[in-house]
Structures are given as C-alpha cells and as structure tokens.
Amino acid sequence: MTTLTFEIDGLNCAACAGRAERALSAVGGVRAAQVNFATRAGRVDLDGADAQALSGALKAAGYPAVPERIELEIEGMTCASCAARLEAALAAVPGVLQAQVNYGNGRAHVTRLGRDAGPLVKAVRDAGYDARPRDGARREDPSLAEAGRLKRQMILAAALTLPIFVVEMGGHAIPAVHHVIARTIGMADSWLLQFVLATAVLAGPGRQFYTRGIPALLKGAPDMNSLVALGTFAAWSYSTVAVFRPQWLPDGTVAVYFEAAAVIVTLILLGRWLEARAKGRTGAAIRRLVGLAPKVARVERDGAVAEIPIDQVMRGDRVHLRAGERVPVDGVVREGTSFVDQSMVTGEPVPVEKQQGDALVGGTVNGTGTLVMRATAVGADTMLARIIAMVEDAQGARLPVQDLVNRITLWFVPAVLAVALLTMLTWLILGPSPALPLALVAGVAVLIVACPCAMGLATPTSIMVGTGRAAELGVLFRQGDALQALQGVQVVAFDKTGTLTEGRPEVVATTLDDDDLALAAAIEAVSDHPLAAAIVQAAKARGLQIEPATGVETVPGRGLRGRVGDRQVLVGNARMLQEAGIDAAALREPAQRAAEAGRTVALVAVDGIARGLVALADRPKPRAKQAVAALQARGCEVVLISGDAEPAARAIATELGIERVIAEVLPGEKQDAVRALQDGGRRLAFVGDGINDAPALAAADIGIAMGTGTDVAVEAADVVLVSGDPATVADAIEVSRRTLRNIRQNLFWAFAYNVALIPVAAGLLYPLWGTLLSPALAAAAMAASSVLVVSNALRLRGLRPVTEAMA
C-alpha cells in the first residue's frame, strides 16, 4: 500500500473538503482518503488506484489536484532504449501523471501528485540507473564531466588494445610481421599476451558494459550495453577456449578474436566520448546565458556597502553598480545616470541611457557611470532566469515524432538479440566450413553494429541545438510543440500598436483647448496604454495641471470614461461617443482627414458634449518592413489586425507592404478574425504584445508574444520574442523549419543505417564476395552513427538571422 499527500485547489470551506474527500474515496483502489481544509492537502492510501483516476475524480468534483513538476538528473543512460525503459519505470510509480525522459540531455521530467521525489529516485535505481533531483541553481552540463571520464577510459583501452592489434592484425596483413612474432615469442605466447591485454581491457575500461548490460539482460530489459557485453564476451570466451582448451573445438576452428573484443570496447568508448563531447556543445547556449549572471553583488545594508553572493540579494535591496559591471538582478535606478548595454535582451546595438526610475535587467552591462538601483526581482524571478528556464524547458521538450521513436527503440535491442541468435544458427546449419567461427563473427557483428543510440539522439539533440540557437537570436519557445507547429505556418497576423509600431505614439495635432486637454489627460493618467501616455505627455508639455480622476472605467475597444471633479469626461473612438448618445458630427471631417493621414484619433467629450479630438502618430519599428518582406519571401501571407480605424491601420500597412488589413476590431473580435483566417485549415501565427491580444494569441495555432509586452500576452503565447523585434518572427519560423528538417535527416540516417548494416553484418554479402563484416569495423560504424547524428544537429548553431541572410 502507498500513501500519497498532495495539494488540492478550490477548497473554500470544510464542506468543500468533505466533498473532495468523498470523491477520492469513491475511486477504485483507494483504501482511505482524508482532505484537510486548513492545509489544502489530500492524503490517500492507495491499493492499486491510478493517479489519473484520482485527478479526474477531483476535477469532476470541482476541486482539482495541484500536480508537482519534478526534474531528475539521470546517470547511466547509454542509449535510447534506456530512456524508454526509464519512462515506463517512472510512469509505474504511484501518483505519477506523466513521465518524460530525454536521452539527449540526461534528464527526466515527471508530473505527479505530491512533492516527494524519493519514490522516483528509487524507481530509477531499481531499473539499474542513478538519479538525483535537479537543483535549479546548479546548471552544469553533465555531458562535460561524462566526456572527461570517457576520454580517460578510451585512452587506457587504446593503450592496452594497440599491442593486440599490432600483433594480431599486423601478422595477418604483413607476412614479415607474422614471421618475426613466430621466431621471437612464438604464436602460443603471442596468444597468451593477447589474452592478458584483452582481459585487462574488458575488466577495466570495458567493465561498465558488463555491470550495466548483464543486469539489464537478466531483468528482461536488454540495452545497448547488453549487446556490447554479449558480443565482446562471446569473442573473448571463444578465444580463451582456443588458447587454454583448443581440444574442445572442432578441427580447423581454433582461432583467437581477442583483437575484436578489445577493439570493439575501444571504438565504442571513442564513439561515446565524441558523442558526449558533442552533446556538451549542444548546451552551449544555456552556458552562455548562465555566464551572463554575475556571481556577486555590492549591496547596501545598514549604511554599509558589502559584496555578497548573488543568491543572498533580496527584493528591495539597494545595489551599487560600478562602471563596466554587469547588473546582478532586475531593478529600478534610484541614483545616478549611465548608459547600459542591454543587447542581450533587446538586441539594441547602442547602449541605452538610464536614469532615475528606469528599469534595469540582470545580466546587462553598465557603461561608464555609477548607479544605485533597487532590486525588484531576484533569483528565479529575474528576466534572465526566466529566459534560461524557458530555454531549458524547450530543450527538454519532446515532439510527437519522438513517441514513435521511443516505441521502436524499446523493442529494438530484443529484436537485435533475436536476429543475432538467428544469424548464428543459420551459419551453424547452412554455413560453409569452418561454420563455428563464421557464425561467431557474424553474430558478434550483428550485436555490435546495431545502434539504437542514433535513433534516440536524432530528435533531442536537434531540439537542444535549435532552441539554443533560437534563444541567441532572441526567440524563446515556451511550448515544445510550437517548434514543430511553427514550420507549417501559412499566415502570420500582426497586431499593430507595440508590435509592428514603436508603441510610443506622440500627439501631432489637437483641436482641444488647454482645459479640455487637461481633463482628457486626467482620465488617461490612470491607463498604461501607449496612447494614454502620449496624451498625458502632451498636457505636461503645455505645463497643464493634471487633477486626479475618479471612477475611471475602461470600455474595451472603445476608450475610457470617468470624472474629474464634477465633470464627466469620455475619451475614445467615434463608436464610444455614439453609444453614449453624444453628437460628434462636427468632429467627423477633421477626424476623417487625420485618419486618412495614418493617424490614430481620440475624441473627447465633456459633460455629454463633444469638445474636440487628439491626433496621434506611431512610427513603424525600424525592422518592421524587413520582417514583412522576410515572411512573404518564405511563402507566408501577412495580415494586419488592429483596433484602430481603417485609414490609420491601412496607412501603416501600405508603408510596410501588407496588403490585407482587418481594422476596427474589439479584443473579442480579434479572436474571431483569427478564426476566420484559419478557415480552410490554414495554419496561423498571431503576433501581439498587449492584454487585449491574449484571446487572439490563445486562439491562434501558434501565439507569438513580444517580450517587451505585457505578462498576460507572454503567458498566453507559445513563442516569445525577447527583444520585441518583429524581424525575429521570421527567425522563429526559420529555426523551426531548419530544426525539423534536421530531425528528419537524423531519423533517416539512423533508420537507414540499421536497415542497411544489420543484414550486411549477418552475412548478406558473403555469397557475393566471400567476406564478412569484421566486428571491429561494426563497432567503428556503430560509433560513427551516433557521432554523425549529433554532428549534423550541431550544424544548426551556424543558423544566421533571416534579415542578415537577406542583406
């Protein structure tokens, strides 16, 4: 029996706890259930109950369970079948809702009821591997340490193998060498020397194949280590019998294959070292991001400034920055002025001036001035930490194609064992004399040439390199399947303000007098909309007194209304005044002229009377036109969806080269516009930055949010453009297309390799040329397969920005 303790949401009273408890008790396999309203926790004694059933019962009752996401670092995985078996082992742990194991980065992501990682670690160890919960603060790549260990083992194995190879293969290839050996140490002593050296190779560097492979074989779950262990042991044991008990073997079959056993171990270790080194390079993007974070900060406490570790900085601390230092955490400037290089976040090539009240992002570089800042976000809450977390999540994502690969690799090794056994029996029954050594060579070659590693690495390595390169280009994939979905995008719809335009409009004309402009600014002062900020700035520029407003209400898609003193003020579009029953006929002509000039118009009414208008202009972002051209060059239709008046939206669209415009839409209507564009099954990506874009971002096949926009928009999106540069939309699509193409290349090679070489190793070509594939060559081919797949994935690191490639 197993006991689970987990959090339950939606408990508002003791009666809620009672209903949740009854829902849990009704699930089959639950021995006892308790729900504590005070702690919001459920405690369940299980006797075969399924976690999905528990979660479903609570959800149906209206009190959903809150699952925990646990990340484990796995040690000992050597092939994709290891990952598939570990997934099955973790999924069988009571309370687990979902388990994913990524062979590429050696991590497991488990969603379960309850925070206790102990049962998960035990399940991994029972399966023959090791695991530990991942510490979010420790981000070193285990592939680098693994590469160092494998390199040392490979060098030792090579040093022991070289004399065997020279003595045995040299004697076969060069008759003079054979004669020298015969005249000096003699063939018997030569074989004895090979026995000693080969045994040292298998018992030393090669021991790992036996300590991992044999237990897996005995459990009925053989892996790649099992294949190597069986193949090398067969070659070594046959050779050992030939040396010490040759009379046990039929006449004409006495031969040694010590060099095959030793060379197989050496070459596979070489391949795994190259593979681990290459996998370490796939995490280069994460290491570069981590390297941006300083290790210490100079913090003022109790009137004294002291240097403390970065993890001890707290929100609200006053942090001092010298010239040239990296900003340690996110914050706001309190004292001083300086220019800060924030290209790592925004992509801006020129440092930006910072003064009191301006925001600072951790990881950016202070210029020549000194600053004092107040920390507003520390640890995992900083922008840099969130970027790293998003990149890691994307790199650990599993695309739908990987599920098929995992199912194949789970059965691949047992199938290879069966083929190897069938091969040996076929050679023993039908093969020419001497059949026994020929059967041994063919069987060992089949065991060694098979490579599930390449299949397992094909997808995750491409994802790791592709998403890492995307992060360097300012593109963050928040949802793993977005990487696959984005490649098929046919329509890209953009919001206008803040997405294609700067989002910092300026008042360029107004028919309001000072009193009415001050009233309009008072209403707009409570809004964070860019148009509101422009009206407030225009009032301040005239030196007007802005009084506090009360009862300000936002009317979505129309504007604002509220009171300033005893005056009722409306600021919005023509539809808002019309619905309020206000006659704005006198403003229709000047509003039309301003709109035709591409300006956004805000009408102002005071106490039910239309008083005038404000015309605002917003410039397109510097690379917006390039972004549109790049997308159109890739076969995407570009559409502008805006709440602005048709003439204003059309003017911007014409300037940028966009033909299709959907204007004057409310936030809910943006969602409808997205769905209309999806008619016919066309895949659509929507790009936006504001709260009002969230419904459209969610409705689109792929939502793309500007990282400079609101948190609501970012949370609703699948992809985030850190810098807010619309040109990186084309980069995101290009990364997706190139990564998926790379995955297809890897999978083709991995499957074609096994389809072609396993029959060759079994002796398919022997009737034609009278030769068999040497086990040593099979080991070299197997190692080369994995290295080739990883090396192909690393080509994605050279992907250039789309606009740079177009220049």
Side-chain angles (χ1 to χ4, degrees):
M1 189 174 68
T2 304
T3 299
L4 285 182
T5 302
F6 51 90
E7 184 180 350
I8 299 176
D9 195 17
L11 300 177
N12 299 314
C13 63
C16 297
R19 283 190 287 270
E21 192 171 291
R22 288 191 292 275
L24 288 171
S25 299
V27 176
V30 172
R31 295 282 298 273
Q34 294 179 345
V35 176
N36 189 315
F37 169 61
T39 61
R40 303 289 197 274
R43 179 185 173 89
V44 181
D45 293 335
L46 304 179
D47 188 11
D50 179 69
Q52 298 286 357
L54 296 174
S55 180
L58 285 172
K59 185 176 181 180
Y63 310 104
V66 180
E68 298 291 335
R69 191 168 183 268
I70 300 172
E71 189 173 5
L72 302 176
E73 290 184 351
I74 309 293
E75 293 181 2
M77 284 196 299
T78 54
C79 64
S81 55
C82 300
R85 269 188 292 278
L86 275 175
E87 277 192 7
L90 289 168
V93 174
V96 170
L97 297 168
Q98 184 182 39
Q100 290 185 354
V101 178
N102 189 315
Y103 172 51
N105 61 15
R107 292 177 193 154
H109 297 268
V110 182
T111 305
R112 78 180 302 250
L113 300 179
R115 294 191 179 95
D116 186 11
L120 303 176
V121 172
K122 183 179 183 300
V124 172
R125 289 175 178 165
D126 289 345
Y129 307 90
D130 197 11
R132 63 172 179 266
R134 186 160 184 264
D135 179 1
R138 191 187 66 245
R139 301 185 185 275
E140 72 272 10
D141 192 335
S143 295
L144 300 178
E146 179 73 0
R149 184 183 66 82
L150 288 169
K151 181 180 180 181
R152 291 189 296 272
Q153 292 178 339
M154 183 271 298
I155 291 173
L156 176 59
L160 294 170
T161 300
L162 184 59
I164 305 176
F165 187 81
V166 170
V167 168
E168 185 64 21
M169 300 307 294
H172 286 303
I174 306 172
V177 173
H178 175 78
H179 295 318
V180 169
I181 294 172
R183 286 197 309 268
T184 53
I185 62 175
M187 295 309 299
D189 288 341
S190 167
W191 285 7
L192 188 60
L193 174 63
Q194 291 181 49
F195 164 76
V196 171
L197 293 174
T199 303
V201 171
L202 299 186
R207 185 173 67 251
Q208 60 188 294
F209 299 114
Y210 295 87
T211 56
R212 295 173 180 172
I214 299 304
L217 184 64
L218 295 176
K219 291 177 182 177
D223 60 7
M224 192 64 208
N225 292 303
S226 305
L227 298 182
V228 176
L230 288 176
T232 55
F233 182 74
W236 177 87
S237 58
Y238 184 94
S239 304
T240 301
V241 171
V243 171
F244 296 105
R245 291 291 185 271
Q247 65 273 20
W248 291 359
L249 299 175
D251 292 340
T253 64
V254 177
V256 295
Y257 298 95
F258 289 122
E259 90 287 346
V263 169
I264 286 169
V265 168
T266 302
L267 289 177
I268 291 178
L269 287 174
L270 172 64
R272 288 190 178 177
W273 168 55
L274 294 174
E275 178 187 314
R277 199 175 75 162
K279 282 165 64 178
R281 291 169 63 193
T282 64
I286 289 288
R287 289 195 296 278
R288 278 194 287 271
L289 287 171
V290 172
L292 295 174
K295 299 294 185 289
V296 296
R298 297 172 60 246
V299 176
E300 178 183 338
R301 289 178 182 168
D302 299 326
V305 178
E307 198 170 83
I308 64 174
I310 193 71
D311 56 3
Q312 294 181 15
V313 179
M314 297 184 294
R315 286 187 61 185
D317 276 342
R318 284 172 58 88
V319 181
H320 290 244
L321 290 175
R322 297 191 187 100
E325 286 185 332
R326 283 196 181 275
V327 179
V329 294
D330 294 358
V332 176
V333 176
R334 282 290 170 251
E335 298 175 18
T337 59
S338 184
F339 284 85
V340 175
D341 177 2
Q342 49 189 35
S343 57
M344 53 80 72
V345 174
T346 65
E348 296 171 283
V350 179
V352 178
E353 184 178 10
K354 298 290 183 179
Q355 52 191 342
Q356 186 174 358
D358 288 339
L360 294 171
V361 177
T364 56
V365 181
N366 184 29
T368 57
T370 59
L371 296 172
V372 177
M373 61 178 283
R374 179 176 63 84
T376 57
V378 299
D381 296 328
T382 65
M383 178 180 288
L384 181 59
R386 293 201 306 271
I387 289 173
I388 292 172
M390 275 194 263
V391 175
E392 287 186 327
D393 285 345
Q395 290 190 336
R398 187 167 70 193
L399 303 188
V401 68
Q402 187 65 23
D403 292 329
L404 173 62
V405 174
N406 282 356
R407 286 195 295 273
I408 292 173
T409 54
L410 190 61
W411 294 101
F412 182 84
V413 174
V416 169
L417 287 172
V419 171
L421 180 61
L422 180 62
T423 297
M424 294 185 71
L425 290 175
T426 303
W427 276 95
L428 286 173
I429 296 170
L430 303 176
S433 180
L436 182 59
L438 290 174
L440 175 69
V441 169
V444 170
V446 169
L447 290 172
I448 300 303
V449 81
C451 188
C453 308
M455 291 187 284
L457 288 168
T459 300
T461 51
S462 295
I463 292 174
M464 289 177 69
V465 181
T467 53
R469 180 57 181 147
E472 293 173 343
L473 296 174
V475 178
L476 302 178
F477 289 91
R478 295 189 69 247
Q479 306 294 334
D481 54 1
L483 180 64
Q484 182 167 336
L486 199 56
Q487 65 158 342
V489 163
Q490 298 162 290
V491 182
V492 179
F494 283 92
D495 169 53
K496 181 177 78 69
T497 304
T499 303
L500 285 175
T501 65
E502 293 281 5
R504 294 191 296 269
E506 299 175 351
V507 173
V508 294
T510 180
T511 62
L512 297 172
D513 60 28
D514 287 354
D515 290 341
D516 291 334
L517 180 59
L519 292 173
I523 295 295
E524 297 287 357
V526 302
S527 171
D528 59 357
H529 194 283
L531 295 178
I535 293 173
V536 172
Q537 184 59 38
K540 288 181 177 179
R542 290 192 187 183
L544 304 179
Q545 182 70 30
I546 301 177
E547 298 181 11
T550 58
V552 178
E553 179 185 356
T554 300
V555 183
R558 289 164 173 76
L560 297 173
R561 61 187 172 207
R563 300 192 69 83
V564 182
D566 59 353
R567 314 291 295 275
Q568 180 70 35
V569 183
L570 277 71
V571 184
N573 55 24
R575 188 184 299 182
M576 183 176 185
L577 270 65
Q578 181 181 358
E579 291 175 355
I582 299 173
D583 181 11
L587 302 179
R588 189 174 296 120
E589 184 178 345
Q592 181 69 22
R593 288 197 305 269
E596 289 173 354
R599 295 168 178 173
T600 300
V601 177
L603 305 181
V604 178
V606 179
D607 293 333
I609 300 172
R611 304 301 293 267
L613 60 81
V614 178
L616 305 99
D618 190 9
R619 294 188 303 272
K621 288 185 176 179
R623 298 208 300 168
K625 190 170 185 177
Q626 287 177 283
V628 173
L631 290 169
Q632 291 171 339
R634 276 153 182 76
C636 297
E637 180 187 359
V638 180
V639 180
L640 181 64
I641 302 178
S642 175
D644 276 357
E646 173 81 22
R650 180 70 63 183
I652 290 291
T654 301
E655 184 177 350
L656 299 179
I658 300 174
E659 295 183 2
R660 188 168 182 180
V661 178
I662 303 174
E664 300 181 26
V665 291
L666 301 175
E669 293 172 341
K670 280 188 181 182
Q671 189 176 13
D672 296 336
V674 164
R675 288 173 176 156
L677 290 169
Q678 290 170 313
D679 279 352
R682 294 201 302 173
R683 188 173 293 277
L684 178 141
F686 180 80
V687 190
D689 75 316
I691 293 175
N692 62 338
D693 295 323
L697 288 167
D701 295 294
I702 302 96
I704 303 177
M706 295 293 179
T708 52
T710 64
D711 289 342
V712 174
V714 170
E715 287 300 318
D718 305 299
V719 182
V720 178
L721 309 180
V722 179
S723 66
D725 181 358
T728 51
V729 175
D731 291 333
I733 293 175
E734 186 69 8
V735 166
S736 173
R737 291 180 178 179
R738 292 278 293 274
T739 301
L740 269 294
R741 187 190 313 156
N742 195 272
I743 288 172
R744 286 191 290 269
Q745 293 167 349
N746 284 347
L747 288 173
F748 172 80
W749 164 255
F751 284 102
Y753 162 88
N754 284 291
V755 168
L757 286 189
I758 289 179
V760 170
L764 183 67
L765 302 181
Y766 187 85
L768 299 176
W769 288 289
T771 58
L772 286 173
L773 180 65
S774 163
L777 289 178
M782 190 276 283
S785 178
S786 296
V787 174
L788 180 64
V789 164
V790 179
S791 299
N792 185 51
L794 288 172
R795 293 191 306 115
L796 292 170
R797 295 174 67 188
L799 195 149
R800 296 168 58 198
V802 169
T803 50
E804 179 183 317
M806 291 176 62

